[in-house]
Coordinates of all heavy atoms in Angstrom, one line a residue:
V25 N 9.3 -0.6 10.5 CA 9.6 -1.8 9.7 C 11.1 -2.0 9.5 O 11.6 -3.1 9.6 CB 8.9 -1.7 8.3 CG1 9.3 -2.9 7.4 CG2 7.4 -1.8 8.5
I26 N 11.8 -0.9 9.2 CA 13.2 -0.9 9.0 C 13.9 -1.4 10.3 O 14.8 -2.3 10.3 CB 13.8 0.4 8.6 CG1 13.3 0.8 7.2 CG2 15.3 0.5 8.7 CD1 13.7 2.1 6.7
A27 N 13.5 -0.8 11.4 CA 14.1 -1.2 12.7 C 13.8 -2.7 13.0 O 14.7 -3.4 13.5 CB 13.5 -0.3 13.8
A28 N 12.6 -3.1 12.7 CA 12.3 -4.5 13.0 C 13.1 -5.5 12.2 O 13.6 -6.5 12.7 CB 10.8 -4.8 12.7
R29 N 13.4 -5.1 10.9 CA 14.2 -6.0 10.1 C 15.7 -6.0 10.6 O 16.3 -7.0 10.6 CB 14.2 -5.5 8.6 CG 13.0 -5.9 7.9 CD 13.1 -5.8 6.4 NE 12.1 -6.6 5.7 CZ 12.2 -7.8 5.3 NH1 13.2 -8.5 5.7 NH2 11.2 -8.5 4.7
I30 N 16.2 -4.8 11.0 CA 17.6 -4.8 11.4 C 17.7 -5.6 12.7 O 18.7 -6.3 12.9 CB 18.0 -3.3 11.6 CG1 18.1 -2.6 10.3 CG2 19.4 -3.3 12.3 CD1 18.4 -1.1 10.4
I31 N 16.7 -5.4 13.6 CA 16.8 -6.2 14.9 C 16.7 -7.7 14.6 O 17.4 -8.5 15.2 CB 15.7 -5.7 15.8 CG1 15.9 -4.3 16.3 CG2 15.6 -6.6 17.0 CD1 14.8 -3.7 17.0
A32 N 15.7 -8.1 13.7 CA 15.6 -9.5 13.4 C 16.9 -10.0 12.8 O 17.2 -11.2 13.0 CB 14.4 -9.7 12.5
Y33 N 17.5 -9.3 11.9 CA 18.7 -9.7 11.3 C 19.8 -9.9 12.3 O 20.5 -10.9 12.3 CB 19.2 -8.6 10.3 CG 20.6 -8.9 9.8 CD1 20.8 -9.9 8.8 CD2 21.7 -8.1 10.2 CE1 22.1 -10.1 8.3 CE2 22.9 -8.3 9.7 CZ 23.2 -9.3 8.8 OH 24.4 -9.6 8.3
A34 N 19.9 -9.0 13.3 CA 21.0 -9.1 14.3 C 20.7 -10.4 15.2 O 21.6 -11.1 15.5 CB 21.0 -7.9 15.2
I35 N 19.4 -10.6 15.5 CA 19.1 -11.8 16.3 C 19.4 -13.0 15.5 O 19.9 -14.0 16.0 CB 17.6 -11.7 16.7 CG1 17.4 -10.6 17.7 CG2 17.2 -13.1 17.3 CD1 15.9 -10.4 18.1
G36 N 19.1 -13.0 14.3 CA 19.3 -14.2 13.4 C 20.8 -14.5 13.3 O 21.2 -15.7 13.3
M37 N 21.6 -13.5 13.1 CA 23.0 -13.7 12.9 C 23.7 -14.2 14.2 O 24.6 -15.0 14.2 CB 23.7 -12.4 12.5 CG 23.4 -12.1 11.0 SD 23.9 -13.3 9.9 CE 25.7 -13.2 10.0
T38 N 23.2 -13.7 15.4 CA 23.8 -14.1 16.6 C 23.3 -15.4 17.2 O 23.9 -16.1 18.0 CB 23.7 -13.0 17.7 OG1 22.3 -12.7 17.8 CG2 24.4 -11.7 17.2
S39 N 22.0 -15.7 16.9 CA 21.4 -16.9 17.5 C 20.9 -17.9 16.5 O 21.5 -19.0 16.5 CB 20.2 -16.4 18.3 OG 20.6 -15.5 19.3
A40 N 20.0 -17.6 15.7 CA 19.3 -18.6 14.9 C 20.3 -19.2 13.9 O 20.2 -20.4 13.7 CB 18.2 -17.9 14.1
L41 N 21.2 -18.5 13.3 CA 22.1 -19.1 12.3 C 23.4 -19.5 12.9 O 23.9 -20.6 12.7 CB 22.2 -18.1 11.1 CG 21.0 -17.8 10.4 CD1 21.3 -16.8 9.2 CD2 20.3 -19.0 9.8
R42 N 24.0 -18.5 13.6 CA 25.4 -18.8 14.1 C 25.4 -19.9 15.1 O 26.2 -20.8 15.1 CB 26.0 -17.5 14.7 CG 27.4 -17.7 15.1 CD 28.0 -16.4 15.5 NE 28.1 -15.5 14.3 CZ 28.5 -14.2 14.4 NH1 29.0 -13.7 15.5 NH2 28.5 -13.5 13.3
Y43 N 24.5 -19.9 16.1 CA 24.4 -20.9 17.1 C 23.3 -21.9 16.9 O 23.2 -22.9 17.7 CB 24.3 -20.2 18.5 CG 25.4 -19.3 18.8 CD1 25.2 -17.9 18.7 CD2 26.7 -19.7 19.1 CE1 26.2 -17.0 19.0 CE2 27.7 -18.8 19.3 CZ 27.4 -17.5 19.3 OH 28.4 -16.6 19.6
N44 N 22.5 -21.7 15.9 CA 21.5 -22.7 15.5 C 20.5 -23.0 16.7 O 20.2 -24.1 17.0 CB 22.1 -24.0 15.1 CG 21.1 -24.9 14.3 OD1 20.1 -24.4 13.8 ND2 21.3 -26.2 14.3
T45 N 20.1 -21.9 17.4 CA 19.1 -22.1 18.5 C 17.7 -21.8 18.0 O 17.5 -20.8 17.3 CB 19.4 -21.1 19.6 OG1 19.4 -19.8 19.2 CG2 20.8 -21.4 20.2
A46 N 16.8 -22.6 18.4 CA 15.4 -22.5 17.9 C 14.8 -21.2 18.5 O 14.0 -20.5 17.8 CB 14.6 -23.7 18.3
L47 N 15.2 -20.8 19.7 CA 14.6 -19.7 20.4 C 14.9 -18.4 19.6 O 14.0 -17.6 19.4 CB 15.1 -19.5 21.8 CG 14.6 -18.3 22.6 CD1 13.1 -18.4 22.7 CD2 15.3 -18.3 23.9
G48 N 16.1 -18.3 19.1 CA 16.5 -17.1 18.4 C 15.7 -17.0 17.1 O 15.3 -15.9 16.7
F49 N 15.5 -18.1 16.4 CA 14.7 -18.1 15.2 C 13.3 -17.8 15.4 O 12.7 -17.0 14.6 CB 14.8 -19.5 14.5 CG 14.1 -19.6 13.2 CD1 14.6 -19.1 12.1 CD2 12.9 -20.3 13.1 CE1 14.0 -19.2 10.9 CE2 12.2 -20.4 12.0 CZ 12.7 -19.8 10.8
I50 N 12.7 -18.3 16.5 CA 11.3 -17.9 16.8 C 11.1 -16.5 17.1 O 10.2 -15.8 16.6 CB 10.8 -18.8 18.0 CG1 10.7 -20.3 17.6 CG2 9.5 -18.3 18.5 CD1 10.5 -21.2 18.8
V51 N 12.1 -15.9 17.9 CA 12.0 -14.5 18.2 C 12.1 -13.6 16.9 O 11.4 -12.6 16.7 CB 13.1 -14.1 19.2 CG1 13.2 -12.6 19.4 CG2 12.9 -14.8 20.5
M52 N 13.0 -14.0 16.0 CA 13.2 -13.3 14.8 C 11.9 -13.4 13.9 O 11.5 -12.3 13.4 CB 14.3 -14.0 14.0 CG 14.6 -13.4 12.6 SD 15.8 -14.3 11.6 CE 14.8 -15.8 11.3
C53 N 11.2 -14.5 13.9 CA 10.0 -14.6 13.1 C 8.9 -13.7 13.8 O 8.0 -13.1 13.1 CB 9.5 -16.1 13.1 SG 10.6 -17.1 12.1
I54 N 8.8 -13.7 15.1 CA 7.8 -12.9 15.8 C 8.0 -11.4 15.5 O 7.1 -10.6 15.2 CB 7.9 -13.1 17.3 CG1 7.4 -14.5 17.7 CG2 7.1 -12.0 18.1 CD1 7.6 -14.9 19.1
I55 N 9.3 -10.9 15.4 CA 9.6 -9.5 15.1 C 9.1 -9.2 13.7 O 8.5 -8.2 13.4 CB 11.1 -9.2 15.3 CG1 11.4 -9.3 16.8 CG2 11.4 -7.8 14.8 CD1 12.9 -9.2 17.1
I56 N 9.5 -10.1 12.7 CA 9.1 -9.9 11.4 C 7.6 -9.9 11.2 O 7.0 -9.1 10.5 CB 9.7 -10.9 10.4 CG1 11.2 -10.7 10.4 CG2 9.1 -10.8 9.0 CD1 11.7 -9.4 9.8
G57 N 6.9 -10.8 11.9 CA 5.4 -10.8 11.9 C 4.8 -9.6 12.5 O 3.8 -9.1 12.0
F58 N 5.4 -9.0 13.5 CA 4.9 -7.8 14.1 C 5.1 -6.6 13.1 O 4.2 -5.8 13.1 CB 5.7 -7.5 15.4 CG 5.4 -6.2 16.0 CD1 4.2 -6.0 16.7 CD2 6.2 -5.1 15.9 CE1 3.9 -4.8 17.3 CE2 5.9 -3.9 16.5 CZ 4.7 -3.7 17.2
S59 N 6.2 -6.6 12.4 CA 6.4 -5.5 11.4 C 5.3 -5.6 10.3 O 5.0 -4.6 9.7 CB 7.8 -5.6 10.8 OG 7.9 -6.8 10.0
S60 N 4.8 -6.8 10.0 CA 3.7 -6.9 9.0 C 2.5 -6.1 9.3 O 1.7 -5.7 8.4 CB 3.4 -8.3 8.7 OG 2.8 -8.9 9.8
A61 N 2.2 -5.9 10.6 CA 1.1 -5.1 11.0 C 1.2 -3.6 10.6 O 0.3 -3.0 10.2 CB 0.9 -5.1 12.6
F62 N 2.5 -3.1 10.6 CA 2.7 -1.8 10.1 C 2.5 -1.7 8.6 O 2.1 -0.7 8.0 CB 4.1 -1.3 10.4 CG 4.3 -1.0 11.9 CD1 4.8 -2.0 12.7 CD2 4.0 0.2 12.4 CE1 5.0 -1.7 14.1 CE2 4.1 0.5 13.7 CZ 4.7 -0.5 14.6
T63 N 2.8 -2.8 7.9 CA 2.6 -2.8 6.4 C 1.1 -2.7 6.1 O 0.7 -2.0 5.2 CB 3.1 -4.1 5.8 OG1 4.5 -4.2 6.1 CG2 2.9 -4.1 4.3
S64 N 0.2 -3.4 6.9 CA -1.2 -3.3 6.7 C -1.7 -1.9 7.1 O -2.6 -1.4 6.4 CB -1.9 -4.4 7.6 OG -1.5 -5.7 7.2
F65 N -1.1 -1.3 8.1 CA -1.5 0.0 8.5 C -1.2 1.0 7.4 O -1.9 1.9 7.1 CB -0.7 0.4 9.8 CG -1.0 1.7 10.3 CD1 -2.1 2.1 10.9 CD2 0.0 2.7 10.1 CE1 -2.4 3.3 11.4 CE2 -0.2 4.0 10.5 CZ -1.4 4.3 11.2
M66 N 0.0 0.8 6.7 CA 0.3 1.7 5.6 C -0.6 1.6 4.5 O -0.9 2.6 3.8 CB 1.8 1.3 5.2 CG 2.8 1.7 6.1 SD 4.4 1.1 5.6 CE 4.6 1.8 4.0

Side-chain angles (χ1 to χ4, degrees):
V25 171
I26 292 174
R29 279 198 166 271
I30 294 175
I31 293 172
Y33 170 76
I35 292 175
M37 287 300 293
T38 57
S39 300
L41 296 183
R42 184 171 297 179
Y43 301 107
N44 196 25
T45 60
L47 179 61
F49 182 76
I50 292 173
V51 172
M52 180 187 67
C53 291
I54 291 174
I55 293 174
I56 292 298
F58 176 76
S59 69
S60 65
F62 288 96
T63 303
S64 301
F65 178 77
M66 288 172 58

